[in-house]
Amino acid sequence: MIEHLPALMIAVPLFGAFTTPLFKKKPRAAALWALSITAVTLCLGILLVKEVTTKGMMIYVFGASSPGLVLPSGYHVPVRIIFEVDAMGAFMALSAVLMSFIGAMYSYSHVKFETGLEKYYALLLLLEVGILGMVLTGDLFNLFVFLEIAGISGSALVGFRNYRGEASEAGLKYLIVSAVASLMVLFSIGLLYGEYGNLNMAYLSTQIGFNTVDIIALGLLFTSFAMKCGAVPTHYWVPDAYSEVPAGINPTLLVATYASLYALFRVSFSLFGKVTLTMSSVGWIMSVIGVLTMFIGVTMALVQKDVKRLMSYHAISQTGYMLLGVGVGLTVINDPAKMAAFGRDAMAGGIFHIINHIIYKSLLLMTAGALFYVTGTRNLNEMGGLARKMPYTTIAFIVGAAAISGIPPFNGFASKFLIYETSYQLNPLLAIFAMVTSILTLASFVKVFASAFLGPPVEKYENVGEVPKPMVAAMLILAALCILFGLFPNIVLNKLVYPAVDALLNLSGYQTWGGVL
Amino acid sequence: MTTVIIKTTTKYLAALILTFGAYIIVHGHLTPGGGFQGGAVFASGLALLIVACEGDVIRERFKKVPLSALESVGALGFLGMATLGFMGYTFFRNVIANSGFPLFGEPTPLGINPGYLNTGGTLPYMNIFVGTKVLAGLTSIILVFYLLLEVRENE
C-alpha cells in the first residue's frame, strides 16, 4: 500500500471535502470530521516524508497498471498524469498537512458561532487538496488545475465572514488575483504544449531551449507565481486576504501562498533548469525582488494599527527572505565553486525559512485571532493590559514575535542567519537590507506587544478570560515547534531541508523520474 | 415575470433539452461532450422550467429536492470510481473496461464502428456522477439567484 501514498494524499482529503457538506445543521460533527480527516492526512504526510527521504523520489502514474510505469511499452513520451514526489515536494506537503491539522483544531472553537460551518470545513479540506496537488504533481496542466482549486476555495474562505463588507471585498480581490495568475499560467502552458506537444514537466524540461516562445513562457510563469506568492510589486492582495480570513484558515492559506512559491522554484530550477543554468539574470531578478519585497513589506507594516494587517505586511516581508535565499543559490547555480561555498547553504536558508515562517506567522496570526475572539476588535489602540487575562496567548505571542525578529534560540534565527551569511558573500548590500529588515520587524512587534498585552487594564475587557482549550492547544503546539526548530536546527536541516535543496538542484534526476528510465 | 410565450415554448422545449442533456452525459465516452457539458445542458433545461413557473411553485417543489446532497453524492461517486483502481492497480485505473461486467464492461471492438454504448468501463460511470454533480450545482446557483430576485421585487 505504501506505493499508493501520493494518490492517497489527494484522495483522503478529497473524500473528506465531499463528505463534510453532508453534515448540514451539525456543525460540531462537521468540525470533528474535518479534524479527523486532517489528522489522517497528517499521518500519511509523515509517512510520505519518511519514504521519500529514505528511498528517494516517488513516482505515481495515475491509471497505469502499476504506479511506476512511466513509459508503457512502445511509448517514448509519458502520456498519463504523473505525480513526481521528491524531497522538496514532500517537504512542502508536510507543511501543508501539519498546518491544515492545526488550522482545523483552532477553528473548532474559533468559528463556533458562525453559520455555514459544513461549507467552511469542506473548503478548508479542498484548499488542502489544492496545495497538496500543487506540490506533488509532475504534470504542468495538473499544476494549473490544483492552482485553481486552491485559488477558488481560498477566495471563498477569505470571504467567509460575508456579513462584513471588507471580507467580501478581500475575497473578490483574492479571486481576481488568482484568476489573472491562473490565466497567465494557462496561457504559458498553452505555449509550451503547442511547441512540444506534452505536459509532463520532466519531459518538457529536457526539450526546452533558448527560443523566444520559451522565454515568454518562463516570464509569464515567473510573474504569475510571484504574483500568487505575494512578492512586490504584486503584494497588494496579501494584507486584505490575510487579515479578513478567519484565523483558523490562516495557516493553510499561508501554505497555499508558499505552494505558489514552490511552483516558482520548480519552474526556475526544474522546468526551465536548462535555461537558468546559463542565465544568471533569473537568479538576480529573484534576489532583487526578494530584497524589495522584504524591505517594502516591513516599512508598510510599521505604520499599521490593525493587528492582523500589520502581521500580514510582515508575511510579505518574510517572503522576501525566501526569495533572497533561493535567488542567491539560483544566481550561482552555474558556478560549482561558489555553489559549494555558499549557494547550497543560501538555498537551505531560503527553504528552511519557508517552514519556519509558516510556523511562526501562523502562530502570530492565531494569537491575533485570539485577541479578536476576546475583544471583538483588531485595532491595537483599543486593546491593552491583556497579558494578565490571557497568559497562554501572551507566551505564544512572545515566542512568535521573537522568532520572526530572528532572536536566538528561536527558529527564525536559524534560517535568517544562514541567509545573512550567504547573501553577504554574493553582495554585502543584500545582507545589509536583510538585517535592517529584521531590526524593523523587531521594532514593530515590540509595538504590538506593548499596546495589546502591556499597560494598564482596559475597563471594557474587565471580564475577558483565556481563549478556549483547542485554540490554546493549537497555539502552544506551534510555539513548541518554534523553540524545537530553533534549538535543534541541524536535525531539521539534515533530515528535511538539505534533501529538499539537493532535490531542487538534481535536474537530471528530475528529468529521468528518479532514474526510472 | 413569466409570460405566455415563455410558458408555451417551455412546454415543448424543456423535455427536449432535458433529453439532450441526458444523451450528452450517457454518450460521453462515444461522442463529444461528457458529464460536465451534459450536466450544464440539463441544468439549463431546469433553468428554463424555473423561469417559466411562479416563485411559490418553485419554492414548494425544490424544498424536497436535496440538491447539495446530490452534489456530494456525485463527487463521492466520482472519487469512488477512481478508488476502484486501488484493487491491484493504481488510482483512476479503468478496471471495468473490457472486463465483461454487464453494465459498460463489454470489450471495445477495434476498427471503424458506429460506437457501442455498452463499453467504456468506469468512464460512463464517472460521466454520470459528474453530470449529477454539475446539474445539482448549477441548478442550486440558478435557484438562489431566482429566489433572491423574488425577494428584491417584493421589497
Side-chain angles (χ1 to χ4, degrees):
Chain A
M1 212 54 200
I2 203 91
E3 72 270 15
H4 291 298
L5 265 180
L8 283 174
M9 293 283 285
I10 303 295
V12 170
L14 207 54
F15 173 74
F18 292 151
T19 40
T20 315
L22 296 174
F23 294 102
K24 222 174 182 176
K25 312 227 168 71
K26 295 188 211 78
R28 301 275 79 182
L32 287 176
W33 177 243
L35 188 63
S36 47
I37 290 283
T38 46
V40 172
T41 323
L42 177 62
C43 298
L44 289 175
I46 292 169
L47 273 179
L48 182 81
V49 170
K50 223 174 136 199
E51 188 72 9
V52 169
T53 45
T54 50
K55 297 207 185 112
M57 185 187 278
M58 276 184 97
I59 298 290
Y60 196 87
V61 186
F62 281 83
S65 43
S66 81
L69 197 66
V70 177
L71 298 178
S73 54
Y75 283 87
H76 296 289
V77 292
V79 285
R80 296 182 189 274
I81 292 175
I82 298 175
F83 268 24
E84 192 169 355
V85 191
D86 56 11
M88 181 70 200
F91 169 83
M92 290 303 296
L94 181 68
S95 338
V97 291
L98 177 67
M99 285 306 151
S100 306
F101 175 69
I102 297 280
M105 189 200 281
Y106 187 88
S107 301
Y108 182 82
S109 307
H110 188 67
V111 290
K112 210 191 305 187
F113 304 112
E114 311 270 352
T115 54
L117 282 182
E118 78 277 359
K119 297 190 186 69
Y120 174 94
Y121 287 108
L123 285 167
L124 169 63
L125 288 167
L126 263 187
L127 184 61
E128 189 185 4
V129 171
I131 300 164
L132 287 174
M134 275 178 78
V135 300
L136 298 182
T137 193
D139 187 277
L140 204 51
F141 195 78
N142 214 231
L143 178 73
F144 163 74
V145 171
F146 283 113
L147 181 73
E148 280 280 78
I149 292 179
I152 290 172
S153 48
S155 53
L157 281 169
V158 170
F160 178 71
R161 292 195 169 117
N162 55 4
Y163 47 86
R164 290 169 55 87
E166 296 95 326
S168 303
E169 189 207 332
L172 206 60
K173 204 178 213 175
Y174 187 55
L175 187 66
I176 291 171
V177 168
S178 304
V180 170
S182 312
L183 273 180
M184 290 202 292
V185 170
L186 184 62
F187 182 69
S188 49
I189 291 173
L191 288 180
L192 292 175
Y193 185 65
E195 206 175 355
Y196 302 110
N198 203 299
L199 290 165
N200 188 282
M201 289 204 272
Y203 175 77
L204 274 178
S205 73
T206 60
Q207 301 293 312
I208 275 170
F210 238 135
N211 62 43
T212 319
V213 179
D214 289 343
I215 300 297
I216 293 173
L218 170 63
L220 280 173
L221 284 173
F222 194 96
T223 321
S224 45
F225 285 129
M227 187 163 167
K228 281 232 53 188
C229 75
V232 165
T234 46
H235 60 283
Y236 42 80
W237 62 270
V238 177
D240 285 6
Y242 282 11
S243 50
E244 285 307 327
V245 75
I249 301 298
N250 268 130
T252 325
L253 198 67
L254 263 168
V255 188
T257 316
Y258 295 126
S260 298
L261 192 71
Y262 162 84
L264 180 65
F265 295 161
R266 187 54 90 198
V267 164
S268 320
F269 282 93
S270 300
L271 184 59
F272 286 89
K274 268 166 65 182
V275 177
T276 46
L277 202 59
T278 46
M279 257 170 76
S280 62
S281 56
V282 180
W284 271 109
I285 292 173
M286 201 189 266
S287 315
V288 171
I289 288 180
V291 168
L292 281 176
T293 305
M294 67 171 80
F295 197 69
I296 292 178
V298 80
T299 44
M300 287 171 90
L302 280 173
V303 296
Q304 302 299 322
K305 286 193 195 73
D306 179 332
V307 57
K308 268 187 105 177
R309 213 174 165 79
L310 180 141
M311 291 176 181
S312 316
Y313 275 111
H314 280 296
I316 298 172
S317 145
Q318 301 295 312
T319 308
Y321 281 97
M322 304 159 200
L323 285 169
L324 175 63
V326 178
V328 167
L330 188 58
T331 314
V332 296
I333 197 170
N334 52 356
D335 188 342
K338 280 185 183 167
M339 195 68 205
F342 62 89
R344 186 163 168 264
D345 294 328
M347 284 177 65
I351 288 167
F352 193 21
H353 203 66
I354 295 180
I355 196 161
N356 285 343
H357 178 240
I358 288 172
I359 291 172
Y360 61 62
K361 184 47 61 64
S362 305
L363 175 60
L364 286 169
L365 285 164
M366 275 155 57
T367 55
L371 290 175
F372 180 70
Y373 186 86
V374 298
T375 63
T377 178
R378 295 200 311 249
N379 191 336
L380 281 171
N381 294 348
E382 291 175 19
M383 298 178 194
L386 288 168
R388 292 179 198 83
K389 309 278 185 196
M390 308 164 71
Y392 292 116
T393 311
T394 314
I395 293 170
F397 180 84
I398 292 174
V399 171
I404 196 174
S405 320
I407 295 174
F410 298 99
N411 60 354
F413 171 73
S415 48
K416 280 188 182 179
F417 194 61
L418 271 174
I419 296 171
Y420 299 150
E421 273 194 330
T422 50
S423 57
Y424 184 82
Q425 297 188 45
L426 183 69
N427 191 329
L429 208 57
L430 297 174
I432 290 170
F433 270 109
M435 277 186 213
V436 170
T437 305
S438 220
I439 294 164
L440 292 176
T441 308
L442 182 62
S444 86
F445 274 95
V446 167
K447 175 179 111 180
V448 177
F449 184 62
S451 50
F453 292 101
L454 300 183
V458 178
E459 222 171 87
K460 230 190 321 181
Y461 310 128
E462 203 67 348
N463 302 318
V464 302
E466 185 58 87
V467 288
K469 284 196 184 69
M471 285 165 75
V472 172
M475 288 191 288
L476 289 185
I477 291 174
L478 288 187
L481 280 178
C482 270
I483 297 171
L484 281 179
F485 277 30
L487 286 180
F488 308 105
N490 52 333
I491 296 179
V492 186
L493 277 168
N494 290 334
K495 295 262 180 220
L496 282 175
V497 178
Y498 277 116
V501 173
D502 293 335
L504 266 187
L505 291 174
N506 185 1
L507 180 61
S508 61
Y510 190 81
Q511 283 173 339
T512 53
W513 298 282
V516 168
L517 295 189
Chain B
M1 145 143 124
T2 172
T3 64
V4 179
I5 300 175
I6 296 180
K7 282 194 163 176
T8 319
T9 327
T10 308
K11 216 178 274 174
Y12 295 105
L13 274 184
L16 266 177
I17 294 176
L18 294 184
T19 318
F20 184 60
Y23 160 80
I24 292 182
I25 295 176
V26 178
H27 283 242
H29 57 300
L30 299 175
T31 54
F36 185 88
Q37 291 84 347
V41 172
F42 203 97
S44 70
L46 288 177
L48 194 61
L49 284 172
I50 291 173
V51 173
C53 287
E54 309 294 337
D56 299 339
V57 182
I58 294 297
R59 204 168 292 137
E60 199 57 40
R61 281 286 153 84
F62 276 95
K63 207 171 264 175
K64 293 188 201 99
V65 188
L67 279 178
S68 67
L70 263 183
E71 252 199 279
S72 280
V73 167
L76 281 175
F78 183 82
L79 193 65
M81 293 319 289
T83 0
L84 280 185
F86 281 137
M87 299 188 307
Y89 302 105
T90 54
F91 200 44
F92 273 100
R93 171 78 180 176
N94 195 338
V95 283
I96 299 176
N98 303 331
S99 67
F101 189 73
L103 212 51
F104 300 121
E106 297 263 300
T108 318
L110 286 176
I112 301 169
N113 60 55
Y116 297 98
L117 189 60
N118 201 11
T119 55
T122 54
L123 291 183
Y125 289 104
M126 285 182 169
N127 276 330
I128 291 168
F129 282 123
V130 171
T132 316
K133 183 174 169 54
V134 170
L135 82 88
L138 286 181
T139 312
S140 53
I141 292 173
I142 294 163
L143 207 60
V144 166
F145 283 165
Y146 183 73
L147 295 178
L148 278 182
L149 198 71
E150 288 264 303
V151 172
R152 184 90 24 105
E153 272 174 3
N154 290 344
E155 270 169 2

